[in-house]
């Protein structure tokens, strides 16, 4: 039985929650391997809605082990609050069901403040972040001055580590005109939250190696989408971590040979939150219609998502950078009733037709979509659970997408309900 890595194949918000929930029911261990609490999942289990942003999706299912890997940046105060919220809904969360990598980087209040200042300042580049401190925390990690989960267990060493951290941050804050951070107050905050976090701390790399050797099924759950990857996304309008499937190994401490199959999640159209290029964006009534039908508002921020036609160029590129074996196509029902649909098959850039998204930000901004018109369908796909229930033109649309992206559609979602799914191939059994 293969382990499975789930990655978003667009800019995030592809409907991973439903697919990950379905897969987590079959898994023994569910691992988050990158990002932080800036990306949300909405799960509906037995009629109960759970909104998660840091906890792995498997945490809501009895008998599963949820793991937060070292590639995740962890806001300890948010972690405690999210645990309390899920417990209030009747879910057991304990060190028996949740483990946290002891070498994961911490998000501190000063990271949130810096993130907010950068995004709201009148000058400078606006990325469209969630202002939750994700980027500044990753900066400190790479700068080798971050505090990590394991540091919470050594309060005597914390003052010197905080002093070193603030030597950087307070100099930066002075330059930005922000009040300096009081080291003693920060120490008190950290020490007070430590007892709530430390019981979950573990050597995740060793834990996962043991689970793998015991033959347990492991699901690696990515947040956001590969087009927001700091290396392979629409830089600089990206997140601060690697999102591609290879990060599942780095961000959890397991060897790449153990990753198994890669399932990409993509919408039957395209959306994006925040700033940055979006070649197929529709700013007309059609874009508004896609947004209203698809209820395109962010789980974490509530921000309205930008909407456009399916971009096969981008998904084809993600298939390659992530090594995707199959795609779970979601929200097909949102396209019901359109007389015709457009699919982007290439870009026109400075008079030339290209088959990829260029790395240059200015070139990305100039890239114009080359569309192929395909017939729409009058019937409904909503709630379909077999190919026979789909209108013929809807099947043709799915088959054309497969041809253009170079990967099979192995799961087809036709509504937010987990049962409304057409399964071609179970990635755990492939």
């Amino acid at each position: 039985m293969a382990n499975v890595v789930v990655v978003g194949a667009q800019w995030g918000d592809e409907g991973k929650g439903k697919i990950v929930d379905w897969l987590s029911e079959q898994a023994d261990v569910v691992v988050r391997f990158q990002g932080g609490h800036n990306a949300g999942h909405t799960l509906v289990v037995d009629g109960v809605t759970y909104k998660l942003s840091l906890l792995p999706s498997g945490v809501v299912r009895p008998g599963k082990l949820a793991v937060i890997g070292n590639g995740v940046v962890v806001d300890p105060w948010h972690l405690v609050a999210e645990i309390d919220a899920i417990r209030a809904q009747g879910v057991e969360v304990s060190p028996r069901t949740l483990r946290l990598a002891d070498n994961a980087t911490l998000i501190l209040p000063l990271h949130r403040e810096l993130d907010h200042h950068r995004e709201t300042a009148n000058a400078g580049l606006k990325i469209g972040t969630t202002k939750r401190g994700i980027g500044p925390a990753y900066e400190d990690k790479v700068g080798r001055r971050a505090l990590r989960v394991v540091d919470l267990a050594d309060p005597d060493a914390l003052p010197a580590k905080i002093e070193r951290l603030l030597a950087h941050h307070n100099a930066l804050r002075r330059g930005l005109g922000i009040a300096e951070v009081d080291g003693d107050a920060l120490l008190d905050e950290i020490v007070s939250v430590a007892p709530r976090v430390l019981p979950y701390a573990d050597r995740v790399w060793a834990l996962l190696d043991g689970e793998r050797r015991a033959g347990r099924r492991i699901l690696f759950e990515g947040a956001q989408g590969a087009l927001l990857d700091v290396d392979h996304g629409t830089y600089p309008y990206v997140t601060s971590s690697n999102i591609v499937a290879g990060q599942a190994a780095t961000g959890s401490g397991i060897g790449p040979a153990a990753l198994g199959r890669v399932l990409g999640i993509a919408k039957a159209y395209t959306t994006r939150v925040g700033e940055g290029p979006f070649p197929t964006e529709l700013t007309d009534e059609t874009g508004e219609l896609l947004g209203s039908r698809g209820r395109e508002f962010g789980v974490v921020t509530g921000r309205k998502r930008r909407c456009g036609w399916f971009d096969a160029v981008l998904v084809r590129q993600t298939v390659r950078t992530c090594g995707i074996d199959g795609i779970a196509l979601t929200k097909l029902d949102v396209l019901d009733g359109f007389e015709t649909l457009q699919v982007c098959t290439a870009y026109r850039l400075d008079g030339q037709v290209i088959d990829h998204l260029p790395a240059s930000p200015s070139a990305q901004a100039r890239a114009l979509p080359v569309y192929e018109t395909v017939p729409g369908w009058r019937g409904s796909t909503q709630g379909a659970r077999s190919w026979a229930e789909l209108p013929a033109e809807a099947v043709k649309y799915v088959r054309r997408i497969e041809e253009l992206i170079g990967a099979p559609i192995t799961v087809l979602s036709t509504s937010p309900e987990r049962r409304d799914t057409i399964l071609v191939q179970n990635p755990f059994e492939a």
Side-chain angles (χ1 to χ4, degrees):
M1 299 297 182
N3 297 324
V4 176
V5 182
V6 174
V7 292
Q10 295 161 315
W11 277 296
D13 308 308
E14 299 96 348
K16 292 186 292 295
K18 169 184 169 177
I19 304 300
V20 168
D21 175 51
W22 167 67
L23 288 170
S24 69
E25 192 173 37
Q26 305 174 59
D28 301 299
V29 184
V30 183
V31 184
R32 268 288 304 273
F33 59 83
Q34 53 77 218
H37 62 304
N38 54 333
H41 284 334
T42 299
L43 307 179
V44 181
V45 181
D46 298 329
V48 180
T49 299
Y50 303 97
K51 292 187 181 293
L52 307 176
S53 55
L54 182 58
L55 294 174
S57 297
V59 76
V60 303
R61 293 202 167 275
K64 311 297 179 182
L65 177 61
V67 176
I68 299 175
N70 57 276
V72 179
V73 285
V74 179
D75 182 323
W77 297 275
H78 177 89
L79 176 63
V80 167
E82 193 168 326
I83 289 172
D84 289 344
I86 294 299
R87 279 178 174 163
Q89 291 184 275
V91 176
E92 179 200 353
V93 183
S94 71
R96 191 178 69 84
T97 62
L98 174 67
R99 303 288 179 83
L100 168 64
D102 59 4
N103 55 339
T105 294
L106 296 176
I107 298 175
L108 305 175
L110 58 84
H111 295 130
R112 295 194 300 267
E113 293 164 7
L114 180 58
D115 202 0
H116 186 275
H117 176 82
R118 286 172 172 171
E119 281 295 307
T120 56
N122 291 327
L125 179 70
K126 289 182 172 58
I127 302 298
T129 78
T130 58
K131 306 183 186 71
R132 297 196 167 200
I134 308 298
Y138 274 117
E139 290 175 34
D140 282 345
K141 175 181 180 177
V142 176
R144 300 181 295 276
R145 56 181 169 264
L147 297 185
R148 304 192 298 174
V149 171
V150 69
D151 294 324
L152 300 178
D154 190 4
D156 292 338
L158 276 173
K161 292 180 178 180
I162 290 174
E163 182 179 4
R164 181 171 180 271
L165 178 68
L166 294 187
H168 169 81
H169 275 275
N170 279 340
L172 179 61
R173 292 166 77 97
R174 286 193 296 271
L176 294 172
I178 310 174
E180 295 186 25
V181 175
D182 184 312
D184 292 336
L186 178 59
L187 175 62
D188 289 343
E189 287 186 86
I190 294 171
V191 169
S192 66
V193 79
R196 294 289 309 276
V197 175
L198 284 173
Y200 302 99
D202 201 351
R203 292 177 299 128
V204 159
W205 61 270
L207 169 70
L208 292 179
D209 182 66
E211 295 292 306
R212 178 186 66 83
R213 292 178 185 276
R216 307 281 196 271
R217 282 180 167 181
I218 305 175
L219 174 64
F220 298 90
E221 174 188 358
Q224 303 158 298
L227 294 172
L228 293 174
D229 185 280
V230 69
D231 287 307
H232 299 286
T234 48
Y235 189 91
Y237 300 99
V238 292
T239 193
S240 298
S241 62
N242 288 112
I243 302 173
V244 293
Q247 176 65 15
T250 306
S252 64
I254 201 166
L259 295 183
R261 297 185 65 81
V262 180
L263 179 68
I265 317 293
K267 281 177 182 165
Y269 51 102
T270 310
T271 64
R272 176 165 199 169
V273 171
E275 306 298 323
F278 186 169
T280 66
E281 182 174 13
L282 297 170
T283 57
D284 56 10
E285 293 180 359
T286 301
E288 289 292 327
L289 182 59
L290 289 173
S292 60
R293 282 188 180 182
R295 299 177 183 178
E296 297 295 353
F297 295 92
V299 174
V300 171
T301 64
R303 288 184 295 178
K304 185 177 180 180
R305 298 175 186 140
R306 301 153 63 189
C307 299
W309 295 121
F310 186 84
D311 191 330
V313 180
L314 294 180
V315 178
R316 182 170 63 238
Q317 198 157 318
T318 299
V319 165
R320 296 173 180 176
T321 59
C322 289
I324 288 172
D325 297 294
I327 288 283
L329 192 69
T330 66
K331 293 198 170 184
L332 182 66
D333 54 301
V334 173
L335 300 181
D336 289 352
F338 282 95
E339 186 174 339
T340 60
L341 302 167
Q342 304 289 324
V343 178
C344 177
T345 59
Y347 300 135
R348 190 174 301 278
L349 178 63
D350 302 335
Q352 292 187 327
V353 175
I354 60 174
D355 64 355
H356 64 281
L357 184 70
S360 164
S362 60
Q364 291 174 1
R366 298 196 309 276
L368 300 174
V370 176
Y371 284 122
E372 176 181 309
T373 302
V374 297
W377 52 90
R378 292 185 179 276
S380 174
T381 65
Q382 187 170 15
R385 299 180 186 176
S386 71
W387 290 106
E389 296 177 53
L390 295 176
E393 298 302 335
V395 175
K396 291 179 181 177
Y397 179 75
V398 173
R399 295 304 186 205
R400 183 56 180 148
I401 286 177
E402 287 181 320
E403 294 173 353
L404 291 170
I405 66 175
I409 305 299
T410 55
V411 181
L412 187 63
S413 173
T414 57
S415 93
E417 293 295 325
R418 67 191 307 269
R419 293 177 297 173
D420 295 339
T421 304
I422 300 172
L423 177 63
V424 179
Q425 183 182 67
N426 187 332
F428 272 123
E429 299 175 354

